[in-house]
């Protein structure tokens, strides 16, 4: 009996210790609540990472990254993007190689980092519950997943701009801490060296500071102006290149690097919101639903921003660039999803803030909103990951690689095909770009700006104005063009006989033998 009492006393003393151990362990684990969300974000961004073929814009990134640093600076200056991403890509390839998995990982990893920054920013503006919801919606955001799987600068830009916005929030809370402004200067400068649309983020930050109550307006502080002056100073080395590019905008239009965008209309704005979440413009959706869903989201954003001052920063981050670029596009169309995908990151965070602010009696409404948005995102992810691997541009290129014979000629009808083809080419052929003159005799050769800067130095060997200008000893020619009518190579010279063809990714590769050449005639003519 005595032993039983002693054991009971020992057990009683052990319970608090056990509870304390469990509580401490739970506290330690609770600080890692964001890890599963980042794991989800990483998994989604690496899922099917290599399924889609390299396309033209990605090919241009790879061609730029092949230049030596000084040459890269020059050619990037003649392109329509600043050089930082391409410089980093060059270093990445030197370390990790140029396989599709490697080069796209340089976008997938920053894409997951963006989700972490979004969680961090949300927790600074609201509660942990809001941060969890924001993290989940950011991890699932289809437009962010898509552009985390391309060899382009958009996910990296998200790191710079969300990081800069986070630094701004910290500085606003502790204006005496200049290290936050120092971080802001570095991040915004990196943004400007990555993409010109960083200027929209500048407008967002200045607008938010300007909207603060009169006694809290940090916009008048000398430290803020000094920080922005430092950003300008750091950008000065690139500024002459930007001004030179602006002066040659007509040459960019001639080359098709700008000015190819479709004009906007009343449907473009809701279509863009659908595109962010569904990866589909939704023009075939039932008309009331087409309008109601985007309007619901805009209403949620507006109401949340009205009742929450911190939410106004995210509302400006999402809405100001979207509406400004939409308005400008009535004059000069630039309303393209990938240009705005970094600013779409504000939408999931705002939805999370809206749900978190709802009173407990309306918890069902918040749950319904979360399920609705997450459900649309899941459909968007399905659209993102739907890739027909047998209908990709690499299929016709690999067909040529397998059937290529020494001295075959390969001619491509379009610069975008050329940029993609270079990555997959395993032949020793000099690829040529078909540049037939216009009916009035005007040349269609690219100029030294835009994509033309990537091949201009080799233009004499690359450009082919007439198929009849091929060397006289040519026996076989591969023609790569769109698989849609009309045929960009028509009319073909006499005596050309088609032997085989392969389609994929919207392109068609055809092998021709030239039967009008001196004997011996190639196989297929007899």
């Amino acid at each position: 009996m005595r032993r039983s009492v002693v054991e009971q006393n020992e057990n009683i003393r052990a319970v608090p210790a056990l509870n304390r151990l469990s509580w401490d362990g739970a506290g330690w684990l609770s600080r890692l609540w964001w890890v599963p969300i980042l794991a989800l974000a990483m998994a989604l961004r690496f899922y099917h990472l290599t399924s889609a073929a390299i396309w033209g814009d990605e090919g241009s990134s790879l061609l730029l990254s092949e230049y030596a640093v000084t040459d890269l600076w020059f050619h990037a200056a003649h392109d329509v993007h600043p050089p930082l991403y391409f410089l980093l890509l060059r270093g990445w390839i030197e370390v990790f190689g140029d396989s599709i998995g490697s080069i796209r990982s340089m976008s997938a990893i920053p894409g997951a980092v963006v989700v972490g920054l979004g969680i961090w920013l949300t927790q600074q503006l609201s509660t942990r519950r809001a941060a969890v919801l924001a993290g989940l919606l950011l991890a699932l955001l289809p437009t962010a997943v898509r552009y985390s799987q391309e060899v382009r600068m958009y996910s990296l830009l998200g790191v710079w701009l969300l990081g800069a916005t986070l630094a701004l929030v910290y500085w606003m809370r502790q204006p005496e801490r200049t290290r936050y402004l120092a971080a802001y200067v570095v991040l915004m400068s990196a943004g400007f060296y990555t993409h010109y649309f960083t200027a929209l983020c500048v407008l967002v930050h200045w607008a938010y500071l300007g909207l603060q109550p009169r006694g809290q307006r940090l916009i008048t502080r000398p430290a803020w102006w000094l920080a922005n002056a430092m950003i300008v100073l750091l950008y000065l080395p690139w500024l002459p290149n930007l001004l030179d590019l602006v002066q040659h905008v007509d040459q960019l239009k001639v080359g098709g690097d700008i000015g190819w965008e479709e004009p906007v209309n009343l449907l473009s704005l809701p279509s863009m919101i659908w595109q962010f979440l569904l990866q589909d413009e939704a023009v075939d959706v039932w008309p009331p639903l087409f309008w109601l869903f985007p309007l619901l989201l805009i209403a949620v954003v507006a109401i949340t921003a009205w009742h929450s001052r911190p939410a106004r920063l995210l509302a400006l981050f999402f809405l100001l660039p979207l509406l400004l670029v939409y308005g400008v596009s009535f004059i000069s169309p630039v309303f393209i999803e990938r240009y705005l995908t970094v600013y779409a990151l504000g939408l999931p965070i705002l939805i999370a803030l809206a749900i978190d602010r709802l009173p407990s009696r309306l918890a069902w409404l918040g749950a319904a909103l979360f399920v609705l948005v997450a459900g649309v995102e899941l459909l968007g992810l399905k659209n993102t990951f739907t890739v027909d691997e047998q209908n990709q541009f690499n299929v016709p290129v690999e067909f040529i690689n397998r059937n290529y014979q020494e001295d075959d000629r390969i001619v491509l009808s379009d610069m975008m095909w050329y940029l993609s083809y270079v990555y997959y080419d395993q032949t020793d052929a000099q690829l040529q770009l078909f540049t037939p003159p216009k009916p009035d005799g005007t040349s269609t050769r690219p100029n030294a700006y835009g994509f033309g800067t990537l091949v201009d130095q080799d233009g004499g060997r690359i450009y082919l104005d007439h198929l009849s200008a091929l060397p006289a000893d040519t026996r076989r020619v591969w023609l790569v063009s769109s698989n849609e009518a009309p045929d960009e190579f028509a009319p073909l010279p006499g005596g050309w006989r088609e032997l085989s063809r392969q389609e994929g990714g919207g392109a068609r590769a055809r092998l021709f033998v030239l039967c009008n050449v001196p004997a011996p005639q190639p196989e297929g003519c007899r």
Side-chain angles (χ1 to χ4, degrees), residues 208-269:
Y208 182 64
L209 288 176
L211 291 174
Q212 297 304 303
R214 184 175 298 275
Q216 303 176 25
R217 286 187 181 174
L218 300 176
I219 196 171
T220 59
R221 291 228 175 179
W224 172 248
W225 285 81
L226 179 60
N228 282 268
M230 287 296 298
I231 295 170
V232 173
L233 185 63
L234 290 172
Y235 197 63
L236 284 180
W238 186 254
L239 191 58
N241 298 316
L242 172 60
L243 297 177
D244 183 68
L245 193 65
V246 171
Q247 292 175 358
H248 292 88
V249 67
D250 289 338
Q251 289 181 258
L252 289 169
K253 290 181 178 179
V254 169
D257 296 274
I258 63 172
W260 53 268
E261 302 90 345
E262 293 291 330
V264 294
N265 53 43
L266 190 61
L267 303 179
S268 300
L269 193 57

Side-chain angles (χ1 to χ4, degrees), residues 455-473:
V455 297
D456 184 66
Q457 70 280 5
D458 295 320
R461 295 183 297 120
I462 290 177
Y463 302 141
L464 181 68
D465 295 341
H466 304 278
L467 291 177
S468 58
L470 287 167
D473 60 350

Side-chain angles (χ1 to χ4, degrees), residues 19 60 64 74 107 222 319 456 524:
N19 287 341
S60 72
L64 262 174
F74 170 82
S107 295
L319 288 177
D456 184 66

